[in-house]
Amino acid sequence: MDKRVLIVGGVAGGATTAAQLRRMDEECEIIVFEKDKYISFGNCGMPYYLGEVIKERDHLFAATPESMKEKLNIDVRIYNEVLSINRENKRIDIKDVKSDKVYQENYDLLVLAPGAFPFIPPIKGLENSRYFSLRNIEDMDEIKAFMEENKPASCSIIGGGFIGVEMAENLAGLGLDINLVEASPHLMGILDEDMSEMIEEELKQNGINVILNDGVQEIKENGFLLTQRGTELKSDFIILATGVRPQTQLAEKAGLYIGETRGIQTNEFMQTSDESIYAVGDAVETKSAITGSPVRIPLAWPAHRQSYIAAKHISGDPVRFKGLLGTSVVKVFSLTAASTGLNEKQLLAENLPFKTVTHSGKSHAGYYPGAERVKVKVHFHEDTGKILGAQIIGGEGVDKRIDVIAASINGNITVDRLQEIETAYSPPYSSPKDLLNIIGYKAENMLKDKPVD
């Protein structure tokens, strides 16, 4: 008998799992339940739509319930919220949000893709202020409508991670005065402090008021924000970019194991503690590809890869999930910042013996016009030369170089062997010895006692 697979949640995790599974199994029945209106959209593009870099809202949407039914024979039910899981009887309870009708569906296999929700910090007076989070299309539309109706001149962004930095750039591009407030000593916690300073300087040079090591204590009735250090900030509205928390209530209620990162614990095939239930996406705990330690990384690539792994296992052609590096990239005005693997703080917490090699140079041949500065920083195991993490910041080519390092980690290429990578050279694109080649030569001198292969 054909399998009946129910999927809870859409977007990168749920919708991708459904599409992948259909391509692998033409016969199984697939039903996707999504409590909101939209089943598949590019949420990473939302700051750029708000900044009017992406002009057309419709360009953010990858699929609709109608297109998934027509092209893939997948039953997508929007405005349907899954309330509970009866593991013993393999049944879920669902509420039709519009009619309030509650009904049941049985499953052979269940996939959870509940995602994450924005963390709302306990700031005095926040509930009476004009504040927004940015997690879904509804949030985006609400911010867009507010800006169009009120024509604000300024915004305070609380939180200096991906969303905070991207929103700062995009709103500044519309002419707004921006305060960017971060409680930690530096922005972009995935970066080492010296690398983050380059981001901070770029933001300041583009008119962003960057406030570090200082959180928001209170929002007063007159709209002023009071920081913990006593600074008063005036702005017309607030964007909360204070991180997300995994949506695990459904899994917890069903008695599934929750890991130490507070994500739904999964194995190498994305199965939860119940082998009939899988989990993918932002709510999932998996493992670090560097250390094997539990990690939860709410990014698009992990969600897509996990969806593929789950679909392969469900279809009877299993592939093992090998862990995550957390490879990421962000645009900050004229700079690009990228990272993969572990940073200094994480390496110290893991008590790993490491050395660091850095190099600053031009993005391509210096005599060809337009060459831009790029800084590369690579951490490696001091005995074996294994690459443990890397960060690159600068102009063009940052993304391709971080991808090379991520591939090198996956391929067990040690840091000194980066000198052996035969990179493509032409004056508009690189140099005869690429920046990564030079990192390899420098690292060789730091690994004199490393055994020869």
Side-chain angles (χ1 to χ4, degrees):
M1 192 172 92
D2 294 331
K3 294 187 292 287
R4 194 167 206 250
V5 182
L6 306 186
I7 300 175
V8 182
V11 200
T16 303
T17 301
Q20 292 277 10
L21 181 57
R22 173 56 73 226
R23 294 185 179 99
M24 299 172 191
D25 187 336
E26 296 181 356
E27 303 301 326
C28 69
E29 181 182 5
I30 304 172
I31 307 175
V32 181
F33 302 91
E34 170 55 55
K35 67 179 180 179
D36 296 322
K37 180 179 180 180
Y38 303 101
I39 189 66
S40 182
F41 59 91
N43 49 5
C44 297
M46 293 190 296
Y48 300 97
Y49 171 73
L50 290 171
E52 298 182 2
V53 177
I54 297 173
K55 302 295 185 183
E56 299 295 331
R57 179 178 178 276
D58 288 349
H59 290 174
L60 295 175
F61 298 98
T64 64
E66 295 77 16
S67 68
M68 292 188 76
K69 180 64 176 177
E70 179 183 350
K71 296 177 180 179
L72 299 171
N73 190 28
I74 295 171
D75 181 1
V76 177
R77 304 179 188 178
I78 58 174
Y79 296 121
N80 275 245
E81 181 180 7
V82 176
L83 303 175
S84 61
I85 303 168
N86 184 325
R87 290 167 52 193
E88 184 177 353
N89 296 314
K90 290 193 171 183
R91 187 177 66 236
I92 60 174
D93 294 322
I94 311 109
K95 182 174 77 171
D96 185 312
V97 175
K98 288 191 170 182
S99 68
D100 280 339
K101 175 186 174 183
V102 176
Y103 65 102
Q104 292 77 38
E105 293 285 359
N106 293 316
Y107 64 85
D108 294 311
L109 298 171
L110 180 66
V111 181
L112 302 180
F117 62 92
F119 171 65
I120 308 299
I123 299 172
K124 183 180 178 182
L126 180 64
E127 67 278 3
N128 298 319
S129 68
R130 292 181 290 191
Y131 77 91
F132 305 89
S133 296
L134 182 59
R135 185 62 187 170
N136 55 33
I137 293 293
E138 288 84 357
D139 294 338
M140 181 188 78
D141 289 342
E142 191 177 0
I143 296 170
K144 185 76 168 177
F146 172 83
M147 292 195 297
E148 289 178 347
E149 293 169 12
N150 295 276
K151 311 297 181 188
S154 59
C155 176
S156 289
I157 300 170
I158 304 175
F162 287 104
I163 295 295
V165 168
E166 289 173 345
M167 285 300 295
E169 176 181 350
N170 279 280
L171 294 183
L174 298 177
L176 276 70
D177 293 327
I178 304 298
N179 302 308
L180 181 57
V181 186
E182 171 55 52
S184 300
H186 62 91
L187 299 176
M188 301 295 297
I190 60 170
L191 300 177
D192 296 336
E193 188 168 352
D194 61 320
M195 301 296 276
S196 178
E197 287 172 356
M198 298 171 65
I199 298 298
E200 293 154 15
E201 184 60 30
E202 178 74 5
L203 289 165
K204 291 175 183 177
Q205 288 182 1
N206 283 276
I208 308 298
N209 180 27
V210 179
I211 299 170
L212 299 174
N213 206 25
D214 195 2
V216 176
Q217 175 177 296
E218 180 182 355
I219 301 169
K220 298 184 176 181
E221 292 182 2
N222 60 6
F224 279 85
L225 282 72
L226 179 66
T227 74
Q228 293 170 350
R229 293 177 178 269
T231 302
E232 280 198 339
L233 303 170
K234 177 68 174 73
S235 62
D236 296 323
F237 70 110
I238 297 165
I239 296 288
L240 293 180
T242 45
V244 296
R245 300 293 184 268
Q247 197 84 256
T248 59
Q249 296 92 326
L250 187 64
E252 290 185 72
K253 188 177 175 182
L256 300 177
Y257 292 165
I258 304 300
E260 61 184 77
T261 68
R262 300 307 303 159
I264 303 169
Q265 194 177 83
T266 56
N267 66 11
E268 58 195 345
F269 302 115
M270 306 315 301
Q271 290 170 297
T272 67
S273 52
D274 183 328
E275 64 179 15
S276 297
I277 303 177
Y278 298 74
V280 299
D282 291 356
V284 164
E285 175 180 283
T286 54
K287 67 177 182 178
S288 165
I290 300 290
T291 65
S293 300
V295 295
R296 183 178 53 82
I297 300 178
L299 294 172
W301 191 92
H304 281 264
R305 181 61 181 170
Q306 291 161 6
S307 297
Y308 175 80
I309 297 292
K312 288 286 280 185
H313 196 262
I314 291 170
S315 66
D317 184 20
V319 173
R320 298 178 189 275
F321 187 68
K322 297 180 180 179
L324 292 173
L325 296 174
T327 307
S328 63
V329 65
V330 63
K331 178 183 179 297
V332 189
F333 291 99
S334 67
L335 292 183
T336 299
S339 69
T340 190
L342 305 182
N343 59 27
E344 286 176 353
K345 184 178 180 180
Q346 293 167 326
L347 287 166
L348 291 171
E350 292 281 352
N351 200 29
L352 284 171
F354 71 96
K355 291 182 178 180
T356 302
V357 56
T358 64
H359 181 70
S360 295
K362 294 291 184 69
S363 58
H364 61 245
Y367 57 81
Y368 187 88
E372 299 172 321
R373 298 297 298 179
V374 175
K375 181 177 179 179
V376 183
K377 184 176 186 179
V378 180
H379 302 303
F380 60 95
H381 194 284
E382 63 180 26
D383 295 325
T384 66
K386 177 183 177 181
I387 301 172
L388 302 173
Q391 298 159 43
I392 309 177
I393 297 181
E396 62 180 7
V398 167
D399 55 337
K400 74 173 182 179
R401 291 182 173 98
I402 205 71
D403 289 344
V404 169
I405 293 180
S408 297
I409 296 174
N410 283 332
N412 295 314
I413 295 173
T414 54
V415 64
D416 54 315
R417 290 188 58 206
L418 290 175
Q419 65 183 267
E420 300 174 14
I421 294 177
E422 188 177 346
T423 57
Y425 164 62
S426 179
Y429 301 105
S430 61
S431 298
K433 277 193 299 192
D434 187 75
L435 300 176
L436 296 188
N437 295 143
I438 296 174
I439 285 285
Y441 286 116
K442 283 186 171 183
E444 182 183 34
N445 294 326
M446 303 169 72
L447 283 167
K448 286 299 185 182
D449 297 328
K450 177 179 176 288
V452 177
D453 291 339

